[in-house]
Amino acid sequence: MLEGKHIIVGVTGSIAAFKAATLVRLLIKNKAQVKVVMTPLAKKFITPLTLSTLSNNPVYCDFFTPDTGEWHSHVSLGVWADLMVIAPATANTLGKMAHGIADNLLLTTFLSARCPVFAAPAMDLDMYQHPVTQKNLDVLRSLGVTLIEPAMGELASGLVGKGRMEEPEVILEKIFDFFSAESSEKNALSGKKILVTAGPTYERIDPVRFIGNFSTGKMGYALAMELAQQGAEVTLVSGPTSLDINHPLIKRISVESAAQMHKACLDIFRSCDGAILSAAVADFTPLSPSGQKVKRTRQNYSIELKPTDDIAADLGKIKEQKQFLVGFALETENEVENAQSKLKKKNLDFIVLNSLRDKGAGFATDTNKITIIDAENHTQKFELKSKQAVAKDIVNEIIRLIQ
């Protein structure tokens, strides 16, 4: 399966660096071409000679060879690779990756890589659980890095918990899955043009205040990245969010209000093969927003609201037979009944249901728990997963629909 595949293995300064030797050996056994890039500290845990012998290639540790001045081009490495796997990935390296710090050859190679990147964290449980580390992991997920979750077990500190780098055999299986999915699914979406909406909308009360919601856009951004990784050309219409996204097949259009998102979607949808409407669009907007800041001196201040234009319903009216339309429903009661009603009224092909009664689902979380309901009212329930994994489930359903 890996014959002819070019894989960079990045090794950082962790006690788990010894596992990189097994990973390289397994990749070579499966006929991949492997180049190893190490951080300076990684050499304290495993020698470049070991990894060079196993990979049948020189190991890259520094920007140049001191004796000869030979330059080691991170750009060339990034172009060469079909996949980059950083295993182990320390908290230090993950933090630098998340913030674009490039002070060694491995990090410059990461920033130059045009291929997907996997990272297998390895650290003590307190470091892994620290809010800073978790925030860095969120940033990397939003940038499209695939994180191979660390395992539970005994750690180098003597403590027991989550933080052990996953075993090389498990990482190899995930690499198999990646290239298998790439070969089978990329063709299904290659050349497809798909609209995705994400994030909240802000409905202005005055120049400094707005009506909004708690959406962060994480689900929509994960969907856009998953679609692009499977070959689709994605137009991401995003409400206000702190997230960023970087992929050559993703074009982002930033909007603020429901009206702006409505116009952008209508302009784009006719030229698309389908749309996934995951944005949390406001149902109401102020009838007469103030041009000046409303002063506190007013008594019993009230705001008259009017309904916003219904993006899903309006796209459903113009949807052609060759197009698909997927909506989202976030409910607090009578979840399935409300979702089925929305599915029918808006001419959706299927709807993704979230319930705020499910812990770990909904706004401002890294996980989601969904139910997919199709036009024939067939229901699929999924377990709580990361939003990246949920995005894959939704995109797989779209592929089945297209096929």
Side-chain angles (χ1 to χ4, degrees):
M1 185 181 292
L2 300 184
E3 186 171 4
K5 299 298 184 184
H6 295 176
I7 300 176
I8 293 174
V9 175
V11 185
T12 70
S14 164
I15 189 66
F18 76 92
K19 294 184 179 181
T22 302
L23 178 60
V24 170
R25 182 181 61 80
L26 291 171
L27 292 171
I28 293 296
K29 185 177 180 181
N30 284 276
K31 300 185 179 181
Q33 296 183 40
V34 179
K35 293 184 179 181
V36 178
V37 182
M38 303 177 71
T39 64
L41 190 57
K43 293 188 289 183
K44 302 293 185 181
F45 293 90
I46 187 170
T47 67
L49 178 60
T50 298
L51 295 173
S52 176
T53 302
L54 291 170
S55 66
N56 301 318
N57 272 312
V59 169
Y60 301 90
C61 301
D62 303 301
F63 289 106
F64 61 92
T65 303
D67 295 340
T68 64
E70 180 186 1
W71 178 252
H72 302 149
S73 173
H74 56 275
V75 175
S76 297
L77 285 167
V79 172
W80 174 83
D82 296 309
L83 181 68
M84 183 176 186
V85 183
I86 303 172
T90 60
N92 180 53
T93 292
L94 292 166
K96 290 179 178 180
M97 290 166 61
H99 292 89
I101 298 172
D103 60 359
N104 61 47
L105 185 61
L106 187 149
L107 291 164
T108 55
T109 302
F110 164 69
L111 292 175
S112 301
R114 299 182 182 180
C115 61
V117 177
F118 285 15
M123 64 198 75
D124 205 68
L125 77 164
D126 294 316
M127 294 177 69
Y128 182 73
Q129 292 172 354
H130 196 283
V132 171
T133 302
Q134 291 301 312
K135 184 176 181 180
N136 289 336
L137 294 176
D138 287 342
V139 171
L140 291 173
R141 289 187 187 100
S142 73
L143 295 174
V145 175
T146 298
L147 297 173
I148 300 173
E149 290 289 319
M152 295 284 293
E154 186 175 348
L155 305 170
S157 64
L159 299 174
V160 176
K162 189 172 184 178
R164 287 174 60 93
M165 175 183 142
E166 189 54 274
E167 295 303 316
E169 293 79 5
V170 176
I171 296 174
L172 182 70
E173 285 299 321
K174 293 185 181 296
I175 293 171
F176 282 159
D177 290 344
F178 166 75
F179 284 114
S180 176
E182 182 185 59
S183 60
S184 64
E185 295 174 346
K186 189 172 182 179
N187 290 335
L189 294 181
S190 180
K192 298 294 184 184
K193 296 181 179 180
I194 300 176
L195 166 67
V196 177
T197 66
T201 64
Y202 289 175
E203 309 303 319
R204 293 196 176 209
I205 297 170
D206 61 22
V208 299
R209 302 182 182 92
F210 62 85
I211 298 171
N213 57 60
F214 297 112
S215 173
T216 60
K218 289 180 180 179
M219 190 69 252
Y221 277 62
L223 281 164
M225 183 59 71
E226 180 64 27
L227 290 165
Q229 288 177 345
Q230 296 192 23
E233 298 175 34
V234 181
T235 301
L236 175 63
V237 179
S238 174
T241 174
S242 62
L243 300 179
D244 197 5
I245 197 163
N246 182 24
H247 193 286
L249 291 177
I250 299 176
K251 176 185 177 183
R252 172 175 163 172
I253 298 175
S254 296
V255 299
E256 179 182 279
S257 66
Q260 292 169 353
M261 185 172 285
H262 181 269
K263 182 180 185 305
C265 289
L266 285 181
D267 289 344
I268 297 163
F269 184 62
R270 292 186 189 278
S271 63
C272 291
D273 296 287
I276 307 175
L277 306 179
S278 66
V281 184
D283 293 319
F284 297 93
T285 189
L287 180 63
S288 301
S290 174
Q292 302 297 326
K293 179 181 177 182
V294 177
K295 298 298 183 181
R296 187 184 180 92
T297 52
R298 291 196 185 187
Q299 298 295 319
N300 300 322
Y301 178 59
S302 61
I303 303 171
E304 188 175 0
L305 302 175
K306 64 177 180 179
T308 57
D309 292 322
D310 191 326
I311 297 173
D314 287 349
L315 295 188
K317 292 174 184 176
I318 64 173
K319 185 184 74 168
E320 299 180 10
Q321 186 67 29
K322 62 182 181 181
Q323 293 177 301
F324 68 84
L325 188 60
V326 175
F328 273 64
L330 180 63
E331 303 292 341
T332 59
E333 59 181 356
N334 301 322
E335 289 93 338
V336 173
E337 294 83 355
N338 287 334
Q340 288 173 330
S341 175
K342 185 175 182 180
L343 173 74
K344 184 176 181 180
K345 287 180 180 178
K346 302 186 180 185
N347 193 24
L348 304 176
D349 290 282
F350 68 84
I351 193 164
V352 181
L353 169 63
N354 300 274
S355 173
L356 282 181
R357 294 194 289 183
D358 289 330
K359 186 177 180 180
F363 294 143
T365 65
D366 296 322
T367 56
N368 207 354
K369 185 177 182 181
I370 66 167
T371 299
I372 292 179
I373 306 173
D374 67 18
E376 285 74 42
N377 282 330
H378 297 143
T379 300
Q380 298 181 66
K381 293 185 178 181
F382 296 83
E383 296 300 316
L384 185 71
K385 301 180 180 183
S386 70
K387 287 187 173 176
Q388 288 70 31
V390 171
K392 185 176 289 289
D393 289 335
I394 295 170
V395 172
N396 285 340
E397 186 67 21
I398 289 170
I399 292 171
R400 284 191 287 270
L401 182 68
I402 292 171
Q403 292 174 340

